[in-house]
């Protein structure tokens, strides 16, 4: 193909597109590894998350929480000795509580959580694009190698590369489609598994679905022009989330991130008088 001007231009265009896709794939892969998924603040940063058993006191941030144990108590981690924010789970591999944990991925040797979820999503996106691009651009060359008198070694390598790219592309595309559905449904992989096995009952499930656009913003960030670039992560701290279903506490104020001003924090006495049945239970 390089013998003709038209073939040369086509080859250079395909090479340029492939290198761009590969660069974005590698960049997202590196960010998935080096960016911490987020964890519960330490005592010196925010002491309200420190677990103090049987203290009889209500923390100022309780009004913002949506997920509770079935007993009506706050969720806490016995390994980290901290109260758990909503959508937070303990990873036994990382030995940390991960904010908005999706899953632990051995391919990046890191958890996928609130702060690196976008990079993992884009890693799947560019991996699927690269595999499909290789598969369809190689197809013409593979067909010609079969029809013409091509050396066996060359034909074998072309067929092997084509089959490998197609096979990996199908697997990654299916995995990417699953994560697209999770994103549009405002769920993580852990929440999807919990939904399958959690017993039904009043308040047994909590939905964070706020509509397709807001759900995408919660993963890819607030600026839609930057959704496909590994910059501009989602806003927020990863500690508090809005619920599209019932409010967690009767008479609770509209959700907002708690500020450092103590005057905006709900009173301890008011929290203590709320009924346990008004809270959304979680196993």
């Amino acid at each position: 193909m390089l013998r003709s001007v038209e073939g040369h231009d086509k080859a250079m265009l395909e090479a340029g597109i492939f290198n761009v896709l590969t660069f974005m794939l590698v960049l997202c892969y590196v960010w998935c590894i080096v960016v911490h998924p987020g964890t519960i603040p330490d005592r010196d940063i925010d002491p309200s998350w420190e677990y103090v058993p049987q203290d009889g006191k209500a923390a100022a941030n309780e009004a913002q929480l949506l997920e509770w144990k079935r007993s009506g108590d706050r969720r806490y981690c016995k390994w980290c000795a901290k109260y758990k924010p909503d959508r937070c789970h303990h990873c036994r591999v990382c030995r940390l509580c991960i904010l908005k944990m999706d899953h632990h991925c051995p391919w990046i040797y890191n958890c996928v959580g609130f702060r690196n979820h976008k990079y993992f999503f884009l890693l799947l996106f560019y991996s699927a694009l690269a595999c499909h691009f290789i598969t369809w651009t190689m197809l013409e060359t593979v067909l010609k190698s079969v029809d013409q008198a091509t050396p066996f070694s060359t034909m074998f390598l072309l067929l092997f590369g084509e089959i490998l790219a197609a096979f990996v592309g199908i697997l990654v595309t299916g995995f990417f489609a699953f994560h697209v559905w999770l994103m549009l449904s405002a769920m993580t992989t852990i929440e999807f598994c919990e939904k399958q096995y959690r017993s039904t009952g009043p308040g047994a499930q909590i939905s964070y679905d706020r509509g397709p656009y807001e759900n995408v913003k919660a993963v890819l960030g607030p600026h839609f022009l930057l959704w496909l670039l590994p910059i501009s992560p989602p806003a927020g701290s990863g500690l508090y989330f809005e619920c599209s279903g019932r409010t967690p506490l009767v008479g609770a104020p509209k959700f907002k991130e708690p500020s450092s001003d103590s005057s905006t924090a709900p009173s301890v006495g008011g929290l203590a008088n709320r009924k346990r049945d008004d809270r959304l239970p979680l196993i």
Side-chain angles (χ1 to χ4, degrees), residues 13-137:
L13 177 61
E14 291 178 354
I17 296 175
F18 174 75
N19 284 313
V20 171
L21 293 177
T22 302
F23 173 78
M24 296 300 296
L25 188 157
V26 173
L27 183 61
C28 292
Y29 182 71
V30 172
W31 282 131
C32 284
I33 297 175
V34 301
V35 174
H36 196 282
T39 189
I40 307 173
D42 292 329
R43 179 189 301 178
D44 55 345
I45 299 177
D46 189 353
S48 63
W49 297 104
E50 199 71 19
Y51 174 57
V52 183
Q54 306 297 329
D55 61 351
K57 298 179 181 180
N61 57 3
E62 284 193 8
Q64 307 293 337
L65 298 178
L66 301 170
E67 299 177 358
W68 298 78
K69 300 176 70 174
R70 291 192 178 277
S71 61
D73 299 325
R74 290 181 65 180
R75 299 167 62 235
Y76 68 90
C77 178
K78 62 182 179 181
W79 290 285
C80 298
K82 294 179 181 179
Y83 288 111
K84 287 184 178 181
D86 296 332
R87 316 183 81 175
C88 178
H89 299 273
H90 184 86
C91 176
R92 297 190 180 185
V93 179
C94 298
R95 297 182 179 180
L96 283 174
C97 283
I98 304 300
L99 300 180
K100 195 187 176 184
M101 181 176 176
D102 188 90
H103 69 287
H104 181 88
C105 181
W107 304 108
I108 62 174
Y109 198 66
N110 197 4
C111 274
V112 178
F114 178 75
R115 302 194 185 281
N116 64 349
H117 193 180
K118 175 177 181 176
Y119 309 128
F120 178 78
F121 184 88
L122 292 180
L123 173 62
L124 296 179
F125 173 70
Y126 287 112
S127 298
L129 280 183
C131 288
H132 281 284
F133 187 80
I134 294 172
T135 301
W136 297 110
T137 54

Side-chain angles (χ1 to χ4, degrees), residues 144-242:
K144 287 184 177 180
S145 68
V146 175
D147 295 337
Q148 298 176 358
T150 306
F152 175 78
S153 59
T154 302
M155 182 175 62
F156 173 79
L157 291 176
L158 286 171
L159 287 173
F160 179 77
E162 179 74 9
I163 294 173
L164 181 63
F167 178 73
V168 175
I170 292 173
L171 292 180
V172 175
T173 301
F175 194 41
F176 174 69
F178 173 66
H179 275 271
V180 170
W181 178 79
L182 287 178
M183 178 178 65
L184 295 177
S185 303
M187 283 194 297
T188 63
T189 302
I190 291 180
E191 290 166 353
F192 170 77
C193 296
E194 286 179 343
K195 185 177 181 181
Q196 305 303 311
Y197 296 105
R198 189 182 304 165
S199 60
T200 57
Q205 297 179 4
I206 303 172
S207 175
Y208 296 98
D209 188 358
R210 300 167 56 202
Y213 180 69
E214 293 296 329
N215 294 344
V216 174
K217 284 175 57 178
V219 175
L220 301 183
H223 308 292
F224 74 94
L225 294 178
L226 304 177
W227 280 355
L228 299 182
L229 298 178
I231 55 176
S232 183
S237 63
L239 298 171
Y240 307 96
F241 300 91
E242 289 191 53

